[in-house]
Amino acid sequence: GIIDDFIIYKFEGRYMLVVNSNNIKKDMEWLKKNKFGDIKISNVSNDIGLLALQGPKSREILQLLTNKSLDSLKFYNFLTAKIDGLEATISRTGYTGELGYELYINSKHIADIWDKLLEVGKNHGLNPVGLGCRDTLRLEMKYLLYGNDINEKTSPLEAGLGWITKLNKDYFIGKKTICNSKNKITKHLICVEMEEKSIPRKGYKIYSGENLIGKITSGTMSPSLGKGIGLGYVSTPFKNIGTELNIEIRGRKKNATVVKAPFYTKGSLLA
């Protein structure tokens, strides 16, 4: 299955792993168990704060506070710079589907940068938001959430993650298991849109007629589309786009359709 999903940053002479916060202890234990050679692993989570500045105007706002040009910083690349005079790592990443940046700063100064961003972004429509907002955005993009859509019992192939599971590499931990299961996959992660006014929530059952074929792993009311959307696993015969399904919501079966990802296609991600 999947221990975690995270981003690895390659610096000169070191790497930085940005993991899911709930998995820090588990990830550390796994890394130490599997490390080899002259490798040192440290948990510096308490020393580094993270802010996610996301949206079509994020570059314009951040540029007001940093000493380096952001124009040439490409998606999934990063640079080191100063933000309001403080050392920072600026990464063009984020789990929203929009143009955006993740800012890594010494924890002692993270609140100061938060306040400064809100100050300079005030005239650009910048608002503070939490994980509830981020969750609707990531779901509209079919970005998976660890613990909901993937876990240690999930095969990357079931979750549609074959594109980052390179089976042509000589060796990686788990390769044999994944290769052996390649032709034995019986369920697949799908995107569903509700055809009726209703919201599919985590754990809701998915039916085809009277047959129970799967369950929802993530769901919300999409603010961009104005309809209920969700992710879920279904038996292989029901994974195709256009398949009509039913979601059991509060004891009643509501009509839904399997759709192509992402749900929302008008974001500013590649701006």
Side-chain angles (χ1 to χ4, degrees):
I2 301 170
I3 303 296
D4 199 1
D5 64 319
F6 54 78
I7 298 176
I8 302 177
Y9 292 78
K10 184 179 180 180
F11 291 85
E12 185 68 33
R14 65 185 175 94
Y15 295 89
M16 178 174 73
L17 278 61
V18 182
V19 307
N20 284 290
S21 58
N22 289 340
N23 291 338
I24 290 175
K25 182 180 179 181
K26 178 180 73 171
D27 290 351
M28 282 293 291
E29 290 174 351
W30 189 92
L31 289 166
K32 288 179 177 179
K33 177 183 176 181
N34 290 281
K35 82 182 186 79
F36 57 89
D38 186 21
I39 296 173
K40 296 179 181 179
I41 304 174
S42 301
N43 179 7
V44 295
S45 301
N46 292 333
D47 301 326
I48 302 175
L50 168 62
L51 295 175
L53 179 66
Q54 303 285 303
K57 297 182 181 179
S58 56
R59 181 186 291 134
E60 186 178 349
I61 294 169
L62 185 58
Q63 193 65 77
L64 296 173
L65 291 179
T66 185
N67 62 327
K68 289 188 178 179
S69 173
L70 301 174
D71 290 341
S72 60
L73 185 60
K74 296 180 180 179
F75 189 42
Y76 267 78
N77 281 254
F78 71 95
L79 55 80
T80 55
K82 288 188 177 182
I83 299 177
D84 198 33
L86 298 170
E87 296 292 336
T89 297
I90 299 175
S91 174
R92 196 177 151 189
T93 48
Y95 229 49
T96 64
E98 297 289 344
L99 171 67
Y101 303 88
E102 292 184 304
L103 315 175
Y104 300 92
I105 304 156
N106 188 297
S107 295
K108 294 184 296 185
H109 305 299
I110 200 75
D112 296 330
I113 297 301
W114 169 278
D115 291 338
K116 197 66 179 180
L117 282 169
L118 289 177
E119 178 186 327
V120 301
K122 185 176 181 180
N123 294 329
H124 299 270
L126 183 64
N127 288 307
V129 297
L131 292 178
C133 176
R134 198 282 304 267
D135 195 52
T136 61
L137 292 168
R138 70 93 188 168
L139 190 48
E140 288 178 343
M141 290 298 294
K142 198 201 171 186
Y143 290 159
L144 309 188
L145 178 63
Y146 193 90
N148 276 38
D149 312 307
I150 51 176
N151 55 43
E152 292 184 20
K153 296 181 179 180
T154 309
S155 162
L157 303 183
E158 293 174 336
L161 297 175
W163 62 280
I164 52 172
T165 310
K166 306 296 185 182
L167 298 180
N168 59 341
K169 287 190 174 183
D170 291 339
Y171 174 77
F172 59 84
I173 297 173
K175 177 178 178 178
K176 183 178 179 180
T177 301
I178 295 173
C179 287
N180 288 341
S181 68
K182 193 172 182 180
N183 297 320
K184 302 175 183 178
I185 300 298
T186 60
K187 64 178 182 178
H188 292 266
L189 188 68
I190 60 166
C191 298
V192 295
E193 273 189 11
M194 301 306 301
E195 301 298 337
E196 303 181 60
K197 190 176 181 181
S198 51
I199 305 173
R201 298 293 189 187
K202 179 180 178 180
Y204 285 7
K205 296 176 181 178
I206 304 175
Y207 288 86
S208 176
E210 297 300 317
N211 298 318
L212 177 63
I213 60 169
K215 67 177 182 179
I216 296 293
T217 55
S218 290
T220 191
M221 171 60 71
S222 167
S224 302
L225 303 177
K227 61 177 66 176
I229 61 173
L231 303 180
Y233 285 94
V234 296
S235 304
T236 300
F238 304 96
K239 70 172 184 173
N240 295 329
I241 294 169
T243 301
E244 295 180 352
L245 305 171
N246 302 108
I247 314 296
E248 185 177 359
I249 301 176
R250 298 179 181 177
R252 299 179 63 183
K253 291 180 180 177
K254 300 287 187 176
N255 296 329
T257 304
V258 180
V259 297
K260 183 179 179 180
F263 295 96
Y264 184 71
T265 58
K266 298 179 181 179
S268 58
L269 177 64
L270 300 179

